[in-house]
């Protein structure tokens, strides 16, 4: 199976990793859209959010805990930040390994494009 994010997890592909444990890895987006733009991903290969199963519930909750930690560590938790998970092509998903975008450090606009 060809997966860029699994390659980052296996250290076969370079990335600016800012946090890692046995369940998740966090790294900087290669094409940042905000002063803070990192991706929080599970080490388990789940292609999209529609593939999340009941057995993954704790893992997905943990993903949000880690996203919060990233926001706090970067000083954006009080100012505000945005969490995004694109699902499938019309939503703009380009990498089919579940990932939570953490955006912050600038004013976010709504509605999104
Ligand atoms: P999506 O469009 O699937 O929601 O988000 C995929 C994100 O992964 C994009 O923001 C894109 O810039 C980022 N990305 C794609 N390839 C790489 C890569 O090789 N390394 C890193 N660090 N980010 C990547
Ligand atoms: Zn993968």
């Amino acid at each position: 199976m060809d997966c860029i994010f699994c390659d980052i997890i296996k250290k076969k592909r370079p990335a600016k990793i800012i946090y890692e444990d046995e369940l998740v890895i966090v790294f900087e987006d290669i094409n940042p859209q905000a002063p803070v733009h990192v991706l929080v991903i599970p080490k388990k290969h789940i292609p999209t959010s529609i593939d999340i199963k009941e057995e993954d519930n704790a893992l997905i909750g943990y993903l949000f805990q880690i996203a919060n930690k990233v926001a706090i560590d970067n000083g954006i938790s009080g100012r505000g930040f945005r969490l995004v998970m694109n699902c499938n092509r019309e939503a703009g998903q380009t990498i089919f390994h579940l990932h939570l975008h953490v955006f912050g450090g600038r004013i976010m606009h709504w509605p999104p494009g």
Side-chain angles (χ1 to χ4, degrees):
M1 182 186 56
D2 239 18
C3 174
I4 287 176
F5 286 177
C6 281
D7 286 347
I8 288 175
I9 291 164
K10 291 179 203 146
K11 312 281 162 50
K12 288 185 181 167
R13 184 182 180 89
K16 289 186 184 162
I17 295 169
I18 60 172
Y19 177 82
E20 179 173 12
D21 62 27
E22 68 279 5
L23 293 175
V24 304
I25 188 165
V26 183
F27 52 89
E28 293 181 7
D29 196 291
I30 204 168
N31 183 22
Q33 302 300 314
V36 177
H37 184 181
V38 306
L39 302 172
V40 181
I41 77 171
K43 289 191 169 174
K44 178 179 178 181
H45 181 90
I46 300 171
T48 76
S49 61
I50 209 79
D51 300 304
I52 294 168
K53 306 284 186 245
E54 195 173 351
E55 71 203 33
D56 302 316
N57 285 355
L59 176 62
I60 300 306
Y62 187 58
L63 224 55
F64 279 80
Q65 294 294 334
I66 296 299
N68 285 346
K69 175 180 158 46
V70 168
I72 292 164
D73 290 352
N74 282 277
I76 57 171
S77 58
R79 291 169 60 187
F81 61 101
R82 183 171 290 172
L83 302 178
V84 171
M85 190 178 280
N86 295 320
C87 182
N88 280 329
R89 292 186 196 281
E90 283 196 6
Q93 187 174 5
T94 56
I95 307 285
F96 288 80
H97 181 129
L98 195 79
H99 50 281
L100 194 53
H101 295 258
V102 182
F103 298 103
R106 66 166 170 83
I107 292 172
M108 299 288 154
H109 302 287
W110 195 262

